[in-house]
Amino acid sequence: MTETLLKYGAFFRAAFKQGLLNRGMLSGLLFFLFILLFIYNRLWEVIGIQDNNSSLNTIYIWYLLFAEMIILSLPKPDRVLTDDIRSGTMAYYINKPISFFLMRYAEALGSMTVSFLVMGGVGSLMTLSLTGVPPFEWRYFPLIIIMCWLSSAINVLFYCGIGLSALWLESTRTLAVAVERLAFIFGGAIFPLSIYPDWFVDIARWTPFYSVYYLTIKLVYDFSWTNLFEAAVLNSLWTVLIVGFVGFAYHHLNKKVNIYGG
Amino acid sequence: MADDFIKTLKLFFYIQKSHFKTAFLSVGDALSNVVIMLINNLSFIFMWWVIFHNKGSINGWDFSDMLLLNAVMNNAFAIFALFARGIQALPEYIDNGSLDNYLVSPQRPLFMIATSESTFANWGDLLTGLICWILSGYTDLLSFALMIYASLCATAVLISYRLLVSSLAFFAGDTQKLGDNIFMAFITFSSQPASIFTGWYKVMFLSIIPAGFISLIPVMLIKTAALPVFLFLSGAAVLSIVISAAFFRFGLKRYASGNRFGVR
């Protein structure tokens, strides 16, 4: 077990180090994050003045920061897996003493973690300078960060599953874009679902995005042990379902694998 | 002169026809991408509907203003992405030396670069523009004409800004990502209710990041049909074309061939 963890840990570390060296990509992410925070801070400031509620921007900008940490840190593992399947590259790995899927997942986790931590660190300072105080108590901050990182890890797994669906689908990119949009709207990626109509929230509840995004990120401004427990339970449930699908797809993949060319 | 124009127009339609053919190699993919783009845009609009439904108006802007903004912005972005997307790839062309291919073409290099790429999915943006305009309530003939004119001016500003940002590659290496991020910031600024930018923010909104010419001024024009607004927007469109084209030419003078060897 320890040996297995060490093996995939090596892939994680390699991707992490590679991600750290990609300064162009990281600075681009931070620039875009800053623009988003700046614009939406302005929006909520104006709405706050209108509503005589000066804490509005504090709540929603911290919410936005954590939502963007989950969304923007995703390294597109679906494209890597689709390319591996289409090009036959995976055939080279299938007879190695590693799981091809877990190798790619560990790599994607490594890349995601770099972006996540950099955006978390710099983004928190940016947001703090815009809002003054955070809407949570600092002692809960590590827990919120861990919960959001776990959500990001589930998100990566979800997109790996989309990559594996290249077995059956012509274009996984279209599916990935569709899922991205669904996550955006049903997960409350820009504005929390609390401001959406009830009928809409009732629909969103049946999607994985409700817990992976909204319930987890909501801990930023509404932390309680009950909310944490609810998010953890629902996230675990969705993880089981996603792992089930991935296991099924991977099993079929191993049977169907074709080698194109050399 | 007129002969030249007709020839260029013919070439333009020929290039677009070939982009169409390429996109329709996989009909299912092409159409589903258009639908997904439409759903994506409508989900954004739904998000704004939720905000305006809750708040009524934001600093004087209501949901119909937001729909007009989305009509103009989606039209402008669609025209850019369908007919001039190649400008976005200019830094890549400069960095890898493939710009040489366009420079030796008998046509104007900028025209050839601009039309070299097209994203079929952005037909979904044009559909979104139409839906937003219908829903906005400004559906009389004059408003329609003004919406079309405002969209064309916004397109000129948008393409010019992208050209300006892309031309930075003539002066520094590896600017593709930087350019993409600045352009993304510009689009993000354009897609917000313009009323949130007041004071110095508004100055910035109409100068360094001229997103106001995609959102604020076009919406004002459609709503008021005022001559000063019409002239202001037209002037900004012309000025942005002149500045960006001059900057591109200036950069082009500095360009040294990538000496790329290849067979075409």
Side-chain angles (χ1 to χ4, degrees):
Chain A
M1 181 70 184
T2 323
E3 208 174 292
T4 313
L5 275 177
L6 280 174
K7 219 161 39 181
Y8 296 110
F11 288 112
F12 177 92
R13 278 196 303 279
F16 188 91
K17 281 181 187 166
Q18 204 177 359
L20 268 183
L21 291 174
N22 199 346
R23 298 208 174 100
M25 187 268 294
L26 288 176
S27 46
L29 273 182
L30 289 176
F31 174 77
F32 187 59
L33 182 69
F34 173 72
I35 293 293
L36 276 179
L37 292 172
F38 172 78
I39 292 175
Y40 284 100
N41 183 56
R42 185 74 200 132
L43 175 75
W44 287 113
E45 259 179 3
V46 169
I47 295 177
I49 292 168
Q50 207 170 287
D51 290 3
N52 284 325
N53 184 352
S54 56
S55 66
L56 216 54
N57 68 322
T58 307
I59 293 169
Y60 291 136
I61 293 309
W62 279 95
Y63 178 92
L64 180 71
L65 168 68
F66 281 86
E68 293 307 321
M69 278 163 63
I70 296 175
I71 293 164
L72 295 178
S73 65
L74 186 78
K76 313 265 181 224
D78 50 307
R79 291 187 191 176
V80 178
L81 278 161
T82 302
D83 287 347
D84 285 341
I85 294 168
R86 292 264 154 81
S87 65
T89 308
M90 66 156 296
Y92 292 107
Y93 295 102
I94 219 112
N95 58 354
K96 300 270 191 301
I98 45 159
S99 157
F100 157 74
F101 178 80
L102 286 179
M103 177 191 80
R104 286 289 187 237
Y105 182 60
E107 283 174 351
L109 270 189
S111 308
M112 176 276 281
T113 306
V114 174
S115 309
F116 184 88
L117 291 178
V118 170
M119 280 196 288
V122 182
S124 293
L125 290 175
M126 284 176 189
T127 314
L128 208 56
S129 68
L130 287 169
T131 62
V133 282
F136 50 81
E137 290 178 43
W138 281 108
R139 64 193 165 120
Y140 297 133
F141 187 65
L143 263 179
I144 296 169
I145 285 277
I146 290 168
M147 283 299 287
C148 286
W149 184 85
L150 287 172
S151 274
S152 293
I154 300 170
N155 208 23
V156 171
L157 184 67
F158 196 72
Y159 278 81
C160 284
I162 292 174
L164 284 182
S165 62
L167 272 172
W168 300 284
L169 296 176
E170 182 64 35
S171 167
T172 57
R173 193 169 283 201
T174 309
L175 178 67
V177 174
V179 168
E180 200 180 297
R181 302 311 174 219
L182 288 174
F184 184 84
I185 190 97
F186 288 122
I190 299 266
F191 304 129
L193 286 178
S194 53
I195 63 166
Y196 283 74
D198 290 343
W199 61 264
F200 182 80
V201 180
D202 286 341
I203 298 171
R205 261 183 237 282
W206 293 95
T207 69
F209 316 114
Y210 178 75
S211 65
V212 173
Y213 287 72
Y214 173 63
L215 280 187
T216 307
I217 308 164
K218 197 177 82 157
L219 294 170
V220 170
Y221 68 88
D222 188 14
F223 187 92
S224 72
W225 295 106
T226 320
N227 286 347
L228 180 82
F229 182 72
E230 190 189 0
V233 168
L234 278 173
N235 282 347
S236 307
L237 191 76
W238 282 112
T239 307
V240 169
L241 286 175
I242 299 166
V243 167
F245 169 76
V246 165
F248 168 77
Y250 192 60
H251 178 71
H252 271 253
L253 186 70
N254 278 335
K255 279 185 175 174
K256 279 182 68 174
V257 67
N258 287 308
I259 303 170
Y260 298 104
Chain B
M1 181 78 177
D3 217 32
D4 250 15
F5 178 74
I6 290 169
K7 271 185 189 165
T8 312
L9 202 64
K10 273 185 181 169
L11 180 64
F12 175 78
F13 284 119
Y14 182 78
I15 294 170
Q16 295 315 317
K17 201 173 130 188
S18 82
H19 284 320
F20 248 82
K21 278 184 176 170
T22 312
F24 275 94
L25 282 175
S26 169
V27 181
D29 258 11
L31 296 180
S32 59
N33 284 332
V34 171
V35 173
I36 284 172
M37 185 62 79
L38 182 67
I39 292 170
N40 171 40
N41 294 338
L42 293 179
S43 66
F44 261 104
I45 290 156
F46 173 70
M47 194 181 79
W48 284 112
W49 173 80
V50 170
I51 293 284
F52 281 99
H53 183 70
N54 282 340
K55 304 294 168 193
S57 70
I58 299 173
N59 230 9
W61 262 47
D62 57 26
F63 187 54
S64 69
D65 295 326
M66 205 60 201
L67 285 168
L68 283 180
L69 181 156
N70 274 286
V72 172
M73 199 188 69
N74 279 293
N75 287 342
F77 193 82
I79 297 170
F80 159 71
L82 290 168
F83 309 122
R85 189 96 207 205
I87 290 174
Q88 192 160 346
L90 179 61
E92 205 183 304
Y93 295 161
I94 294 170
D95 288 343
N96 67 22
S98 55
L99 183 66
D100 296 4
N101 299 332
Y102 300 101
L103 296 181
V104 293
S105 151
Q107 285 296 328
R108 287 184 185 85
L110 189 54
F111 171 78
M112 294 307 288
I113 294 164
T115 52
S116 64
E117 283 190 21
S118 168
T119 334
F120 189 78
N122 292 91
W123 282 102
D125 289 338
L126 270 186
L127 282 174
T128 312
L130 186 70
I131 292 171
C132 286
W133 171 70
I134 293 168
L135 292 177
S136 73
Y138 291 87
T139 46
D140 57 290
L141 206 61
L142 177 66
S143 298
F144 179 70
L146 287 173
M147 191 271 289
I148 296 292
Y149 183 75
S151 298
L152 291 174
C153 288
T155 307
V157 175
L158 191 130
I159 292 178
S160 302
Y161 196 72
R162 181 65 243 200
L163 179 61
L164 209 63
V165 170
S166 289
S167 299
L168 289 175
F170 285 118
F171 307 94
D174 201 16
T175 59
Q176 182 71 59
K177 271 192 179 142
L178 176 75
D180 289 351
N181 284 317
I182 295 176
F183 190 58
M184 188 66 97
F186 175 74
I187 298 292
T188 312
F189 266 95
S190 314
S191 58
Q192 307 302 313
S195 58
I196 64 170
F197 301 109
T198 50
W200 280 108
Y201 291 115
K202 196 169 181 175
V203 174
M204 188 179 77
F205 194 53
L206 292 169
S207 55
I208 305 166
I209 302 179
F213 295 106
I214 314 274
S215 56
L216 178 68
I217 310 296
V219 171
M220 272 173 75
L221 177 65
I222 300 167
K223 283 176 71 179
T224 62
L227 186 65
V229 183
F230 177 86
L231 293 175
F232 187 45
L233 183 60
S234 309
V238 172
L239 190 68
S240 65
I241 292 171
V242 170
I243 291 173
S244 63
F247 191 62
F248 172 77
R249 274 198 298 273
F250 177 61
L252 203 56
K253 280 182 189 165
R254 286 176 52 101
Y255 176 72
S257 164
N259 292 321
R260 191 183 186 208
F261 182 79
V263 179
R264 276 169 67 88

